[in-house]
Amino acid sequence: MKTSAFWDKKMETISRESLKKLQLARLKETVRFALKTPFYRTRLKKAGIASADAIKRWEDIKKIPFTTKDDLRECYPDGLLAVPLQDVVRVHTSSGTTGTPTVIYHTKADLDSWTDLVARSIVATGAGKQDIFQNMMSYGMFTGGLGLHYGAERVGMTVIPMGGGNTKRQIQLMKDFGTTVLHITPSYMLHVHSKLAEAGMEIKDLKLRKAYLGAEPYSENTRRKVEQLFHIDAYNSYGLSEMNGPGVAFECVEKKGMHVWEDVYIVEVIDPRTGESLPDEKEGELVFTNLTRRATPLLRYRTRDIACIHKGPCACKRTHRRISRITGRTDDMLIVNGVNVYPSQIEEVIMRIPQVGTNYMIRLEKEGTLDKLIVQVEIYSKMFRGDLNEIDRLKEKIREELRASIIIHPSVELHEPGSLPVFEGKAKRVVDNRQKL
Ligand code: DLL
């Protein structure tokens, strides 16, 4: 039987009724802090919320307007700071490659709350102080590094703070220190597998038991592939820097959706076009409110991530509801000759084909007036040693399966292992050249 201990049993198994009461009390307090910021003072007053007393019942959350990434950008650098700067002990910003960065300030208590949620998440996967934890996510402004680092230390794990990249050394350290748990992006995890042989290593030389995969979208088939290639359990981990980072939602040993830690986050799912709430099991845009952060309170933050809330309790006995895998974003949807396609749909198809290796890219080009979708896929090298007809058949099979799933006919290119670009952090697999023509 799959079981795991609890980090904070009382809070993790709190009754739904008590949880809602706690959320309401914390929401009021968060609104009180939000009103200290220039941004929310104006925004909330306009919505008729001049003081925290306007929030009386749980449903009053609907009175609060949504906050968007553009709002955060407009507040750069400190329009959302709710405490004196001397109480701030850390700042994280987004990478800012697509415009003004977003800034999140943390007090000591804010970091403490975040760290506790990460510790809770780690223990929910059945890991503990006996584990050797290799953190292969970048440190620095990106929250994947420091976020898991402090949580793992709090649990008492032995932490190897490698950060991203340097694959050969990563593999060597995994062996030398007997690493049992990895924190890594799914695309980098697959790349690491392709480098094992080069490093003279086999799976049996390693003691890996688990991996925490997150920071980018991936399919259930990719999880299965990782589990089979490494002989481990892989857990989905979701978070965003605006809500601290990792530790917003994490899978438990049941692996049936990610528990959102609802004592600290209110999760809502809305129709991205109308803003209306959607029922359980219905996919829409995730919206989060952070209930404990004081330095940068964020109310009803629209994530642009698409998922649903699962119905019913989890066999692990945690009462905090679960969200599904992220199936796309409201803004990464590709429109190819009028047909909507999510990159995750393409990944789902190619990763269930056994001859497909560990890397792929999606390219969009213009051919006359029409869009052309090109899916480039690495396949295992033994395929190239076989007969050419076999390669043609495989290409046709991938093309057919993609067509059945996404309705359009892509062109498929097969590549040798190691020939497509490698991503050690978040993968950027879509290259859209259509505008450039
Ligand atoms: O990626 C925080 C994080 C670090 C999460 C490590 C998990 C592990 P940002 O850089 O702000 O923060 O990017 C957040 O990444 O809105 C999603 O679109 C995407 N994302 C994060 N986790 C997942 C996941 C971190 N498990 C953005 N599945 C989010 C799909 C994910 N997408």
Side-chain angles (χ1 to χ4, degrees):
M1 205 177 89
K2 295 173 279 181
T3 48
S4 70
F6 291 93
W7 175 253
D8 183 351
K9 187 165 185 186
K10 202 166 153 218
M11 191 53 90
E12 290 172 57
T13 58
I14 185 174
S15 72
R16 293 294 310 169
E17 206 189 329
S18 306
L19 186 56
K20 280 208 138 184
K21 271 192 198 147
L22 179 68
Q23 284 188 323
L24 179 60
R26 288 185 169 176
L27 178 63
K28 277 184 91 152
E29 190 58 9
T30 304
V31 167
R32 200 169 71 75
F33 267 85
L35 283 164
K36 293 176 195 272
T37 67
F39 169 76
Y40 277 122
R41 232 182 350 260
T42 316
R43 177 68 64 94
L44 292 177
K45 274 188 186 153
K46 230 187 226 167
I49 304 171
S51 86
D53 292 336
I55 308 295
K56 293 194 171 60
R57 298 166 306 141
W58 208 91
E59 293 66 33
D60 289 339
I61 190 170
K62 300 263 156 62
K63 293 185 193 159
I64 301 173
F66 294 118
T67 308
T68 64
K69 198 167 189 97
D70 286 340
D71 292 330
L72 282 189
R73 290 204 174 114
E74 274 163 34
C75 287
Y76 184 85
D78 59 3
L80 271 163
L81 182 61
V83 299
L85 198 55
Q86 64 193 18
D87 293 343
V88 170
V89 298
R90 200 195 298 164
V91 183
H92 280 281
T93 70
S94 63
S95 59
T97 45
T98 52
T100 315
T102 58
V103 186
I104 302 294
Y105 295 93
H106 298 268
T107 65
K108 194 161 178 300
D110 294 344
L111 290 182
D112 193 56
S113 158
W114 176 18
T115 300
D116 225 56
L117 295 186
V118 175
R120 208 188 266 186
S121 307
I122 290 171
V123 172
T125 68
K129 56 188 304 180
Q130 70 284 357
D131 281 295
I132 317 290
F133 175 76
Q134 191 160 324
N135 196 1
M136 296 170 71
M137 292 260 188
S138 316
Y139 282 67
M141 289 302 202
F142 178 59
T143 54
L146 289 172
L148 257 284
H149 180 98
Y150 286 110
E153 277 191 359
R154 186 162 292 183
V155 167
M157 298 168 109
T158 306
V159 178
I160 305 171
M162 265 299 284
N166 212 341
T167 312
K168 230 172 146 184
R169 182 142 183 260
Q170 298 268 17
I171 294 171
Q172 191 62 46
L173 293 193
M174 274 179 217
K175 176 166 183 287
D176 296 347
F177 291 107
T179 301
T180 56
V181 180
L182 297 181
H183 181 221
I184 183 167
T185 57
S187 43
Y188 192 32
M189 185 74 177
L190 289 170
H191 177 68
V192 168
H193 187 264
S194 67
K195 291 287 161 192
L196 276 178
E198 227 171 85
M201 218 75 83
E202 289 179 50
I203 294 295
K204 67 174 173 43
D205 300 323
L206 305 175
K207 295 204 171 108
L208 293 180
R209 295 197 306 129
K210 296 176 196 297
Y212 303 148
L213 306 182
E216 63 186 14
Y218 64 108
S219 62
E220 190 59 36
N221 287 330
T222 295
R223 182 231 294 270
R224 238 171 266 139
K225 184 160 199 157
V226 164
E227 292 190 326
Q228 281 159 8
L229 289 174
F230 286 90
H231 308 164
I232 58 167
D233 280 307
Y235 296 89
N236 198 1
S237 151
Y238 169 80
L240 59 163
S241 45
E242 293 84 352
M243 289 291 132
N244 294 343
V248 174
F250 224 94
E251 281 184 330
C252 66
V253 286
E254 298 294 327
K255 294 196 256 181
K256 293 200 177 110
M258 299 179 277
H259 289 278
V260 175
W261 300 123
E262 291 183 275
D263 52 321
V264 175
Y265 298 104
I266 292 179
V267 57
E268 300 170 81
V269 175
I270 61 161
D271 178 330
R273 281 158 312 175
T274 63
E276 289 301 311
S277 294
L278 293 173
D280 288 354
E281 302 296 344
K282 187 113 183 92
E283 274 197 354
E285 181 178 353
L286 290 173
V287 172
F288 285 99
T289 298
N290 187 313
L291 294 172
T292 56
R293 198 171 56 211
R294 293 293 166 254
T296 315
L298 272 191
L299 301 166
R300 303 193 85 199
Y301 180 70
R302 289 185 65 155
T303 62
R304 300 181 183 175
D305 291 323
I306 305 286
C308 68
I309 297 180
H310 287 316
K311 223 190 190 118
C314 182
C316 75
K317 299 204 166 57
R318 286 175 182 81
T319 49
H320 299 236
R321 289 178 304 167
R322 291 157 296 147
I323 54 168
S324 67
R325 189 171 283 286
I326 309 297
T327 55
R329 281 179 60 84
T330 55
D331 57 358
D332 79 351
M333 192 178 71
L334 306 168
I335 303 181
V336 185
N337 295 323
V339 179
N340 297 350
V341 182
Y342 281 109
S344 58
Q345 286 176 289
I346 296 176
E347 184 187 304
E348 182 79 35
V349 169
I350 57 180
M351 282 301 164
R352 69 172 178 242
I353 298 172
Q355 295 92 334
V356 167
T358 53
N359 205 359
Y360 71 95
M361 292 286 292
I362 298 166
R363 272 187 30 227
L364 288 150
E365 308 281 352
K366 270 278 183 227
E367 203 174 49
T369 53
L370 286 179
D371 296 331
K372 190 173 176 198
L373 173 69
I374 305 150
V375 180
Q376 301 173 296
V377 180
E378 281 186 11
I379 58 171
Y380 288 118
S381 47
K382 57 177 186 290
M383 284 299 298
F384 286 102
R385 292 195 289 271
D387 100 57
L388 277 178
N389 289 335
E390 209 178 323
I391 294 195
D392 279 343
R393 276 198 299 274
L394 175 61
K395 214 173 179 174
E396 200 40 44
K397 179 181 154 78
I398 296 175
R399 203 170 114 84
E400 252 324 293
E401 295 207 10
L402 281 171
R403 196 203 51 80
S405 166
I406 59 176
I407 315 177
I408 41 182
H409 270 105
S411 68
V412 172
E413 291 175 7
L414 302 183
H415 291 259
E416 299 248 16
S419 55
L420 293 176
V422 170
F423 304 99
E424 290 167 345
K426 280 175 196 281
K428 289 192 188 67
R429 297 194 192 278
V430 180
V431 179
D432 192 343
N433 290 325
R434 290 177 297 181
Q435 274 83 26
K436 290 177 197 151
L437 293 176

